[in-house]
């Protein structure tokens, strides 16, 4: 565990602007690698500033909500940070939800726009057809075809001019995540601009000791609080490189990334670690470059932790 004193963020604080400023000297370093493309820190900053301006051009105002239903990709990160940059509040939801749950969240959040991956468009369209929502703009990422009246994500970013960050307060609402609904209807939990700063500094840097040289890969998706820290706020705060994967984290899909891109830090859950250890395709220690692994979501059985450490020579914290 690394020890460092953490200064409180200023009262006027915008997390997206904070990331852009912190990585200004790393413009040429790769920030994100997904299934189709990669973005440097300079390209990410430009895209974030453009997407935020595009949301404003569509008429979205500070603290209004925008639904984010998308598979992990650089577009997800740009959409999330672009919204934060102008004070619009993304509502990131689980990509596995049925249309009736998406419809509930559309109405409950009063989202005025929706950002969706092409592959998830049928679910969103079914949810919107149920009515009871205020969505005025549909933004589609990586689709083969575009519904009438929808905006293509890439086109919005390409056409917009990079704008300035909103002068948000650290305690201002930044984004929503929904609870699982285990005690009734899912609840939209509101997170502030400064929440992202504190978790990245105290946990990402303070406990995990993430560093600029790391390549980080999370099996937990960005719409989970765990995944959002692992694959966005923690690594981007230290200038690391993030590996993003749209598909579900089967053992084979994870092994392909562990051996192909050789991440140094991996985030998973106990069932995932157990499934990988049980797989006949488990790669040898020499085929990976792991220095740290993390587990969350439920208690990690000691047996799984011990077997993983014996095989890969690295602890799961």
């Amino acid at each position: 565990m690394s020890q460092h004193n953490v200064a409180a963020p200023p009262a006027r604080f915008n997390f997206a602007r904070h990331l852009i400023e912190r990585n200004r000297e790393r413009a040429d370093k790769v920030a994100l690698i997904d299934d189709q493309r990669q973005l440097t820190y300079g390209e990410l900053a430009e895209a974030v500033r453009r997407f935020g301006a595009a949301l404003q051009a569509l008429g979205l105002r500070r603290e209004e909500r925008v639904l984010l239903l998308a598979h992990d990709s650089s577009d997800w990160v740009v959409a999330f940070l672009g919204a934060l940059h102008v004070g619009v509040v993304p509502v990131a939801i689980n990509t596995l939800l049925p249309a009736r749950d998406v419809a509930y969240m559309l109405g409950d959040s009063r989202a005025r726009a929706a950002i969706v991956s092409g592959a998830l468009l049928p679910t969103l369209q079914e949810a919107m057809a149920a009515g009871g929502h205020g969505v005025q703009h549909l933004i589609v990422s990586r689709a083969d075809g575009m519904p009438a009246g929808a905006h293509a994500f890439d086109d919005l970013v390409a056409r917009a001019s990079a704008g300035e960050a909103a002068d948000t307060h650290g305690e201002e609402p930044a984004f929503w995540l929904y609870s699982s609904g285990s005690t009734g209807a899912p609840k939209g939990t509101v997170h502030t601009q400064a929440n992202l700063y504190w978790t990245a500094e105290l946990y990402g840097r303070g406990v995990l000791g993430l560093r600029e040289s790391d390549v980080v890969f999370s099996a937990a998706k960005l719409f989970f609080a765990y995944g959002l820290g692992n694959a966005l706020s923690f690594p981007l705060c230290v200038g690391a490189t993030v590996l993003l994967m749209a598909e579900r984290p089967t053992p084979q899909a994870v092994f392909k990334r562990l051996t192909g891109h050789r991440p140094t830090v991996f985030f998973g859950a106990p069932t995932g670690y157990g499934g990988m250890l049980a797989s006949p395709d488990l790669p040898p220690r020499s085929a990976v470059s792991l220095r740290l692994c993390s587990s969350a979501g439920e208690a990690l059985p000691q047996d799984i932790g011990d077997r993983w450490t014996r095989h890969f020579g690295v602890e799961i914290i």
Side-chain angles (χ1 to χ4, degrees), residues 55-315:
L55 289 178
Q56 289 178 318
L58 292 176
L60 275 103
R61 297 188 299 273
R62 191 158 148 184
E63 291 197 33
E64 289 184 331
R65 266 83 57 205
V66 53
L67 193 86
L68 178 53
L69 174 64
H71 291 307
D72 283 16
S73 71
S74 60
D75 288 359
W76 200 107
V77 178
V78 168
F80 182 86
L81 292 176
L84 262 61
H85 195 251
V86 294
V88 170
V89 177
V91 179
I93 68 170
N94 190 326
T95 56
L96 302 175
L97 292 174
R100 67 176 182 276
D101 290 352
V102 176
Y104 165 76
M105 290 170 186
L106 278 173
D108 183 67
S109 67
R110 301 199 297 277
R112 291 197 53 232
I115 304 161
V116 64
S117 292
L120 297 167
L121 186 57
T123 302
L124 183 66
Q125 287 175 313
E126 185 183 337
M128 289 173 67
H133 65 81
V135 174
Q136 297 168 349
H137 299 283
L138 182 59
I139 302 166
V140 186
S141 160
R142 305 190 185 184
D144 295 330
M146 197 62 55
H151 307 274
F153 186 91
D154 285 345
D155 290 351
L156 278 184
V157 173
R159 288 201 304 268
S161 299
E164 295 305 309
D167 186 26
T168 48
H169 194 282
E171 295 306 303
E172 194 168 311
F175 65 100
W176 291 19
L177 299 175
Y178 271 90
S179 66
S180 61
S182 53
T183 56
K187 296 168 186 66
T189 55
V190 182
H191 301 257
T192 68
Q193 293 273 354
N195 284 159
L196 290 158
Y197 172 87
W198 283 115
T199 52
E201 292 298 321
L202 296 174
Y203 186 72
R205 278 155 62 99
V207 175
L208 297 176
L210 292 184
R211 44 194 188 234
E212 185 181 9
S213 57
D214 279 320
V215 177
V216 173
F217 175 44
S218 173
K221 299 301 185 180
L222 286 163
F223 62 75
F224 289 117
Y226 180 49
L228 183 66
N230 302 344
L232 195 157
S233 54
F234 303 167
L236 297 185
C237 270
V238 299
T241 296
V242 181
L243 191 57
L244 297 166
M245 175 177 78
E247 67 188 291
R248 294 180 74 160
T250 62
Q252 285 67 32
V254 172
F255 296 156
K256 182 180 167 186
R257 273 79 182 178
L258 291 182
T259 59
H261 292 277
R262 296 184 78 117
T264 56
V265 181
F266 174 70
F267 297 89
T271 46
Y273 284 110
M276 287 191 278
L277 286 168
S279 170
D281 302 322
L282 186 71
R285 184 187 297 195
S286 59
V288 305
S289 298
L290 295 170
R291 73 169 186 86
L292 177 70
C293 292
S294 163
S295 178
E298 55 189 317
L300 179 75
Q302 183 173 345
D303 171 59
I304 289 177
D306 290 345
R307 284 163 55 210
W308 185 269
T309 300
R310 276 201 303 275
H311 185 86
F312 286 116
V314 59
E315 259 192 295

